[in-house]
Amino acid sequence: MMESALSCQAEESEDILNMVESLRLSSDEPEKCLDRILKFLLVEQDEEDLDQALETAVENGMLGDLYDIMTHTSDGTLCKVIQILAELGKTETIREPCVMQGFVPILLQHLKSDDIIMATQACRALGNICFENDIGRNAVDENDGILLLLKLLREHVKSTEDGADRLRTIACGFLLNVTNTHDSLMQKAVDGGALDVLDEYIRYHQQDHGLCNMVLLTLGSFIDSEICRQKFTESSLLSTIVGLLDSQTGEVYQETVLDLLINLSEWDEVKDVLAETSLSNNLIQIIQVNQGKLDPESQQLIKMASDLLILLLTGDKGAETMFANGEGPVFIESVKWLEDEDSRLQMAAVLAIGNFARNDNHCQRLVEEGIVEHLVEILKEHRDHEADMTLQHAILSALRNLAIPARNKPALLMAGVLETVLLLLSSDTMAVVFKLLGVLRMLVDGQETAALQLGTDRGFMDRLVGWCEVDEHAGVQGEGTRLLASLVKNGRSVELMRNVVKCQGIPPLVAMVSSEHLVMQNEALVALTLISSTVLDEAALPLKQSELTETISSLLGNKSTLPEILCNTLTLTKTLCSAVSESPPSTLSCKLLACTGRVTNMQQSLKEEIMTSGIVDIARQLSCHEEEKVREAANTFVAVLEEAPLER
């Protein structure tokens, strides 16, 4: 078999070499030889054998012969040479030699030809030569080829001449190949009005499926570049593309249009423009038509349409427009999809609800419509399925958003959200845990009963503190510690705070004081101040072991620390130095210190550490701070120390 293949390659190489030799010998009348070469190139044959034969012919000077004929011939012969070049350009290894031979400038000039067939073949040749070939593209750039191509495209927007339809499609293909991944040419094409020309092509030729698909492919290449973003939103192209879905032949373009719009909708500016079109209604119709069908094409269309809907909803304008005070078709369909057996539509519905719930007024309406109960039921059904973690994540995201408005929290608690979310406590998927913690933090904010329920549950608190120390997921670590601080703030009970201490919750709170986020710093400082003012006798040892004194000293001594943080840090420090336990100082077991027996009066030890750390001197310096509230906090702290000096 191998010998047969080699023999075939040799025969084809010999054939084309004979043709090239004949072409040289008949240079005065080359047409018959050119016809033979064209016939050879157009006949169906093994691609690898053909490429090998053509490479051999090029090595033997074929391109030079074609160049000589091209520069010394009449129109009929010239067109055949260009057609041969178009076929040769299909072979990757011949593209660069075509450029080096000097064909590109000559071919570009033939874009001006009044002969529509000549212009078409020139576009074919240039498009093939420039395919994935930056050397060819650069040659087009150097010879102002983009301007010539755009002129050709404009001249034939409405042309009814024979062959104009093919020219339009091939010229668009040339535009695609020459600009794809080439920033300079893409910029020149956009600046030269390429988007407007392509817009016209779609509007005038919706019935030409080949042309419209080529235009859509070209636009798909353009949108991969940042250069085109602004131009897209400024033109009428988006409305024109959406209009394809409304056309009588819209089904032909559905998949290509959806793919293009999904890519475009990565840009917020585009989402806002698309939200004002009929696109959302088109997407619902596509989903409804394909609902219940199990073939791959229908399933793919449902996925693409629902994905695009969700992308549109991530924009503020899209969410507002499609919600339409609870009357929007997208919202109405989303509620129906919550109960759909199609997992894709159910997922789309949950994601849609989560995006609608980014607005307080929407949240209230969603709760009134009973959406929370739907979400709770779905979460219960899917709590044990590892494969459903994406759905769990989406439901938790929606519930978190719904729990943000203060007026919604009691309703969510009444609907059993807290108990249902806690069913996922055993999850090891950090993305799910992150959202779970977010829901709980929103639910307990301002809700003392809920905070006490969680904060006094030893099993839950052990799990929570474990998440506060998860180094491999910063989001879980941060959200866990914020929830811990929120439980302290909203529960405000001695039992809860003692539980925080017993469950080793002090170290993560101290660590959060050094967070780079102002909100988290403040939350930690408030929680530690409440604990210190309530159960300092039990908290003093872990506070000391967590190096709280060093953290305080660092914050107060840092000139870049914000005034708000300075004030709260001074308040915490004052509390640590002045707090008096409601019960006599307890004696705590000491396993970490090299001693025998018990540690007594740890509060006094912590106060002594603060007094001897230099913090007092820093506070005196802060009493001259430019911010009045910092000066007041510093003076109050110093006054407390002077009234209650260190006991020795």
Side-chain angles (χ1 to χ4, degrees):
M1 288 294 292
M2 182 170 289
E3 288 180 3
S4 175
L6 291 173
S7 174
C8 185
Q9 283 184 4
E11 287 175 8
E12 291 193 350
S13 296
E14 186 176 343
D15 284 346
I16 190 67
L17 288 174
N18 288 336
M19 293 178 203
V20 172
E21 185 60 31
S22 298
L23 186 64
R24 288 176 189 152
L25 295 174
S26 59
S27 56
D28 293 335
E29 296 181 0
E31 285 209 31
K32 288 184 179 179
C33 294
L34 292 172
D35 285 338
R36 286 179 62 207
I37 293 172
L38 263 178
K39 185 177 179 181
F40 172 81
L41 292 172
L42 294 173
V43 72
E44 188 174 336
Q45 53 191 301
D46 183 82
E47 188 175 328
E48 188 175 335
D49 291 345
L50 177 61
D51 288 348
Q52 183 63 50
L54 293 178
E55 288 170 12
T56 302
V58 168
E59 289 170 2
N60 281 271
M62 180 182 184
L63 294 181
D65 297 327
L66 292 172
Y67 185 85
D68 289 341
I69 296 170
M70 193 175 188
T71 52
H72 302 88
T73 192
S74 61
D75 286 351
T77 304
L78 177 60
C79 195
K80 290 179 181 178
V81 173
I82 295 174
Q83 190 176 356
I84 289 171
L85 288 173
E87 297 301 324
L88 292 175
K90 295 177 181 178
T91 301
E92 182 180 357
T93 55
I94 297 178
R95 292 170 195 153
E96 185 175 335
C98 284
V99 179
M100 305 314 292
Q101 188 68 49
F103 286 120
V104 171
I106 300 172
L107 290 168
L108 285 170
Q109 291 307 307
H110 290 298
L111 297 183
K112 304 175 185 177
S113 176
D114 293 331
D115 184 339
I116 203 163
I117 296 175
M118 181 84 74
T120 300
Q121 292 301 330
C123 277
R124 277 191 70 224
L126 287 163
N128 288 341
I129 289 170
C130 291
F131 180 69
E132 295 184 350
N133 177 20
D134 278 346
I135 293 175
R137 293 165 179 163
N138 291 337
V140 170
D141 195 7
E142 291 163 6
N143 290 275
D144 295 326
I146 284 294
L147 296 178
L148 293 171
L149 175 57
L150 291 176
K151 184 174 183 293
L152 176 69
L153 286 164
R154 284 194 187 91
E155 288 172 351
H156 290 85
V157 170
K158 299 180 183 179
S159 174
T160 57
E161 186 179 351
D162 286 346
D165 51 353
R166 185 164 187 251
L167 172 60
R168 282 189 284 264
T169 302
I170 289 174
C172 283
F174 174 27
L175 180 62
L176 168 62
N177 285 358
V178 77
T179 56
N180 189 28
T181 71
H182 196 290
D183 287 345
S184 173
L185 284 169
M186 192 171 289
Q187 180 73 64
K188 289 181 179 179
V190 172
D191 291 344
L195 296 183
D196 293 330
V197 175
L198 296 175
D199 188 358
E200 288 187 281
Y201 270 40
I202 294 176
R203 285 191 285 112
Y204 285 110
H205 303 285
Q206 288 189 2
Q207 302 303 316
D208 188 337
H209 301 157
L211 173 60
C212 285
N213 276 316
M214 183 60 73
V215 171
L216 292 171
L217 287 172
T218 305
L219 292 172
S221 170
F222 276 26
I223 63 173
D224 286 336
S225 169
E226 292 281 336
I227 295 167
C228 301
R229 181 187 306 189
Q230 192 63 36
K231 292 290 185 179
F232 259 101
T233 55
E234 291 172 355
S235 74
S236 59
L237 248 176
L238 292 172
S239 295
T240 301
I241 294 168
V242 172
L244 276 176
L245 298 176
D246 288 323
S247 67
Q248 292 180 345
T249 57
E251 287 185 13
V252 177
Y253 305 114
Q254 282 179 352
E255 191 165 339
T256 309
V257 168
L258 292 178
D259 186 52
L260 178 63
L261 293 179
I262 285 170
N263 288 328
L264 275 167
S265 295
E266 298 293 336
W267 297 334
D268 289 337
E269 307 96 306
V270 173
K271 289 177 196 173
D272 289 343
V273 175
L274 289 174
E276 301 294 335
T277 69
S278 62
L279 178 58
S280 60
N281 291 331
N282 294 133
L283 297 176
I284 289 174
Q285 187 174 3
I286 289 172
I287 292 170
Q288 289 173 338
V289 167
N290 290 282
Q291 227 171 327
K293 297 179 181 178
L294 300 177
D295 61 283
E297 185 178 348
S298 297
Q299 290 293 303
Q300 177 67 6
L301 285 172
I302 288 175
K303 181 182 185 306
M304 294 177 79
S306 56
D307 285 350
L308 182 51
L309 263 181
I310 300 308
L311 275 172
L312 296 180
L313 285 171
T314 59
D316 291 336
K317 184 173 287 188
E320 190 67 40
T321 302
M322 287 184 248
F323 189 70
N325 295 318
E327 306 294 330
V330 175
F331 172 66
I332 292 170
E333 287 300 308
S334 296
V335 175
K336 293 178 184 176
W337 295 339
L338 284 172
E339 299 180 6
D340 201 285
E341 293 181 0
D342 188 323
S343 59
R344 284 198 182 97
L345 287 181
Q346 194 173 60
M347 170 64 81
V350 173
L351 291 172
I353 297 301
N355 281 293
F356 284 132
R358 290 181 293 116
N359 172 300
D360 280 5
N361 292 329
H362 293 180
C363 283
Q364 185 174 3
R365 181 65 180 270
L366 289 166
V367 170
E368 291 170 356
E369 292 283 337
I371 298 300
V372 174
E373 287 76 8
H374 281 301
L375 295 175
V376 166
E377 286 307 310
I378 297 172
L379 190 56
K380 285 179 180 177
E381 291 172 12
H382 295 270
R383 68 177 188 255
D384 296 324
H385 302 286
E386 188 174 336
D388 292 334
M389 67 180 91
T390 306
L391 181 59
Q392 293 172 0
H393 185 275
I395 294 172
L396 291 170
S397 294
L399 289 173
R400 179 192 179 280
N401 288 351
L402 289 168
I404 291 174
R407 60 178 177 267
N408 277 3
K409 298 178 194 295
L412 266 69
L413 290 168
M414 285 288 292
V417 171
L418 182 62
E419 291 76 14
T420 305
V421 168
L422 290 175
L423 295 174
L424 299 177
L425 275 182
S426 60
S427 176
D428 292 322
T429 304
M430 289 296 103
V432 171
V433 172
F434 175 66
K435 290 298 180 180
L436 180 154
L437 293 170
V439 176
L440 295 177
R441 185 167 64 83
M442 290 299 107
L443 281 176
V444 302
D445 186 25
Q447 302 299 309
E448 182 179 355
T449 302
L452 286 171
Q453 180 181 337
L454 293 178
T456 55
D457 183 332
R458 182 63 186 268
F460 171 78
M461 291 297 286
D462 283 335
R463 186 75 166 148
L464 175 59
V465 172
W467 283 326
C468 294
E469 297 170 348
V470 174
D471 291 331
E472 63 268 24
H473 197 292
V476 168
Q477 187 181 66
E479 197 65 61
T481 312
R482 293 190 74 187
L483 174 56
L484 186 62
S486 186
L487 293 175
V488 172
K489 176 186 174 183
N490 292 287
R492 291 178 181 260
S493 84
V494 173
E495 182 186 358
L496 186 154
M497 295 188 199
R498 283 180 176 155
N499 210 21
V500 170
V501 176
K502 290 174 184 175
C503 296
Q504 308 300 316
I506 295 297
L509 288 173
V510 173
M512 192 165 79
V513 171
S514 300
S515 169
E516 60 185 18
H517 302 292
L518 173 64
V519 172
M520 293 176 70
Q521 281 186 297
N522 270 328
E523 288 172 351
L525 288 167
V526 168
L528 289 171
T529 301
L530 289 170
I531 291 171
S532 299
S533 64
T534 309
V535 291
L536 185 57
D537 54 329
E538 296 177 47
L541 178 59
L543 287 171
K544 186 177 174 69
Q545 291 170 339
S546 301
E547 300 181 349
L548 177 61
T549 301
E550 289 83 346
T551 301
I552 291 172
S553 180
S554 176
L555 278 177
L556 295 179
N558 189 337
K559 293 183 179 180
S560 63
T561 301
L562 295 174
E564 184 178 353
I565 299 298
L566 288 173
C567 290
N568 287 339
T569 305
L570 286 165
T571 300
L572 169 61
T573 314
K574 181 191 74 173
T575 303
L576 290 168
C577 293
S578 60
V580 177
S581 298
E582 295 179 3
S583 56
S586 59
T587 58
L588 302 176
S589 299
C590 177
K591 298 179 181 178
L592 300 178
L593 300 180
C595 60
T596 57
R598 315 291 280 181
V599 175
T600 60
N601 203 3
M602 187 54 66
Q603 290 174 258
Q604 188 67 16
S605 175
L606 181 60
K607 179 177 179 181
E608 180 179 346
E609 184 177 86
I610 292 170
M611 295 286 285
T612 58
S613 66
I615 289 175
V616 179
D617 292 333
I618 297 172
R620 290 194 173 100
Q621 293 172 16
L622 290 173
S623 64
C624 300
H625 195 275
E626 59 185 12
E627 289 279 344
E628 182 180 356
K629 58 184 180 181
V630 177
R631 293 198 300 271
E632 290 177 358
N635 286 329
T636 301
F637 171 54
V638 172
V640 166
L641 293 181
E642 290 174 348
E643 291 173 7
L646 183 66
E647 297 177 15
R648 294 189 180 277

